[in-house]
Amino acid sequence: MNIPLTVVDPVFCAIDTPDVGAAEKLAVDLKGAAGGIKLGKEFFTANGPDGVIRVRDAGGVPVFLDLKFHDIPNTVAGAVRIACKMIPYMMTIHASGGPAMIRAAADAAVAGGDANGGARPQIIAVTVLTSLDQADLKAVGVSDTPSDQVRRLAALAQQNGADGIVCSPHEIEVLRQDLGPDFVLVVPGIRPKGTDAGDQKRVMTPEEAVQLGATHLVIGRPITQASDPAAAARAIFDSLAA
Ligand code: C5P
């Protein structure tokens, strides 16, 4: 049977580095302390699938592969199918690739999962990048507000077989209402109380985000820059259970 992989701890640590050794060390440190790790374009471009597998195996932790695929459906399907060989827990596509592309990615995850003995990655759609404001959307021909465009693309993702979406903390509440209780909401922009917001403009604590309906939290620097990353990750998990 082809089922999505699942985790108990919702905290995914964003490892934003091209350095495979540093990523490997963090993954080892975070074993048993975080739900998983997120590897993105910078790491992947530097180290490829071998690097992903190396880090995954070093830590034995689930990997969220954040490559944000966006292309014609056939090309995205091929990329998702091949990416399944890395056995990611979840991976990202752009919902703005349209219904056929989202469906092709979801179907390819099932096919790729079957080829790997049954566990498939969750397909998570990115809606509107938080770096885009109303003027940016207008510049690419979208006259809706960012919030309306997020809701439209989130619904499109759900209707076409995606498992969930990435959203900002302030979108959790409305999207949970729109999309029902079971849709995965992966949320970056999270800061435990007392930690530095860095370049994140609107942050929320892990507890608040989960209470509002986040299913997964992407947290980078508050863990990776801590003197003891495992202790920082554990403290976040404990704060959720409190
Ligand atoms: O260090 P920090 O916790 O800010 O890292 C957050 C991670 O989530 C980074 O990998 C960043 O690229 C990613 N992300 C984000 N905001 C988004 C989408 C992704 O911060 N809207």
Side-chain angles (χ1 to χ4, degrees), residues 15 22 30 37 53 76 82 88 129 141 166 187 199 203 215-216 220 224 226 233:
I15 301 187
L30 292 174
I37 56 173
I53 290 166
V76 167
I82 292 293
L129 294 170
V166 181
V187 184
D199 54 1
V203 297
T215 54
H216 298 72
T224 59

Side-chain angles (χ1 to χ4, degrees), residues 14 16 38 130 166 188-191 200 218-222:
D16 292 311
K38 178 174 89 76
T130 47
V166 181
I190 299 296
R191 288 293 178 268
Q200 297 283 8
V218 172
I219 307 179
R221 288 159 291 180

Side-chain angles (χ1 to χ4, degrees), residues 168-184:
S168 77
H170 69 275
E171 293 162 351
I172 299 171
E173 209 169 357
V174 69
L175 290 173
R176 181 53 71 210
Q177 270 173 26
D178 283 359
L179 304 166
D182 299 325
F183 207 53
V184 170

Side-chain angles (χ1 to χ4, degrees), residues 15-18 39-47 67:
I15 301 187
D16 292 311
T17 174
L39 296 171
K41 284 194 173 92
E42 184 183 8
F43 179 87
F44 188 80
T45 304
N47 303 295
L67 299 179

